[in-house]
Amino acid sequence: MDHGYETDRVDKVAEPDRRAFTYLMLSSVRFLYASSARAIVIKLLGNISPAADVLAMAFSEFELQDMEYGKSLTVTWRGKPMFIRRRTQAEIDVERAVPMDALRDPESDEDRVIKPEFIVVLAICPHLGCVPLADAGNYGGFFCPCHGSHYDTSGRIRQGPAPLNLEVPPYQFIDDYTVQIG
């Protein structure tokens, strides 16, 4: 009978120091793997998340209490010009009375505003990217002098080559007279 197995065998009871060393080494390697994986995940998340200056430009707040009725304010958000107009009740009534079939890009005034008194639009003409003039044009709203597009006080295209209305950015009112764009 062959007894080689019994003679070459390491006696587990006789060598507890070796077993402790093995457990220590396995635990150390597992700890290093876990630490390395954590460091890699933190670096990846750090590279994916936006920079502080980008986050600062994501939202802009504007105080509108001192605006005159019937006038527009030009502000910048994310490096783009924006028009904020405080409309009179007469302007609101005129815009709400416009039939949808008279508009090239049909969109009701109620769908474009949160508060009827204020309209917030991106001040870039959708035709070729020009910046329109506020408080101008045949409809008293905005006028793009580059190609002659006329917008009403709701920012809807009424005359000229522009195919779409002025874009309404995401915005909300924090209180009665403070708007947050973004």
Side-chain angles (χ1 to χ4, degrees), residues 91-125:
E91 290 174 334
I92 295 168
D93 294 339
V94 166
E95 298 310 327
R96 293 195 172 177
V98 174
M100 289 295 118
D101 58 352
L103 299 172
R104 182 175 304 150
D105 185 13
E107 191 174 8
S108 70
D109 184 62
E110 292 86 355
D111 293 338
R112 296 181 59 78
V113 296
I114 294 174
K115 285 184 164 189
E117 182 179 354
F118 295 103
I119 179 77
V120 179
V121 293
L122 183 64
I124 296 177
C125 180

Side-chain angles (χ1 to χ4, degrees), residues 62-73 83-89 91-92 96 109-121 142 153-155 168-169 171-181:
F62 302 100
E63 181 62 39
L64 307 177
Q65 189 168 6
D66 297 333
M67 279 185 71
E68 294 179 33
Y69 283 94
K71 296 294 179 185
S72 296
L73 175 67
F83 289 140
I84 302 173
R85 182 178 177 90
R86 188 171 196 179
R87 304 185 303 173
T88 63
Q89 187 58 46
E91 290 174 334
I92 295 168
R96 293 195 172 177
D109 184 62
E110 292 86 355
D111 293 338
R112 296 181 59 78
V113 296
I114 294 174
K115 285 184 164 189
E117 182 179 354
F118 295 103
I119 179 77
V120 179
V121 293
F142 312 101
T153 58
S154 187
V168 177
Y171 72 97
Q172 64 183 353
F173 280 90
I174 297 171
D175 59 32
D176 288 341
Y177 295 104
T178 305
V179 65
Q180 180 186 44
I181 302 176

Side-chain angles (χ1 to χ4, degrees), residues 10-16 19:
V10 175
D11 188 7
K12 290 185 179 180
V13 177
E15 298 192 41
R19 183 176 44 195

Side-chain angles (χ1 to χ4, degrees), residues 14-37:
E15 298 192 41
D17 294 339
R18 194 174 216 185
R19 183 176 44 195
F21 177 74
T22 303
Y23 288 156
L24 175 69
M25 291 309 293
L26 286 174
S27 299
S28 299
V29 169
R30 287 179 183 158
F31 176 76
L32 288 174
Y33 282 145
S35 298
S36 300

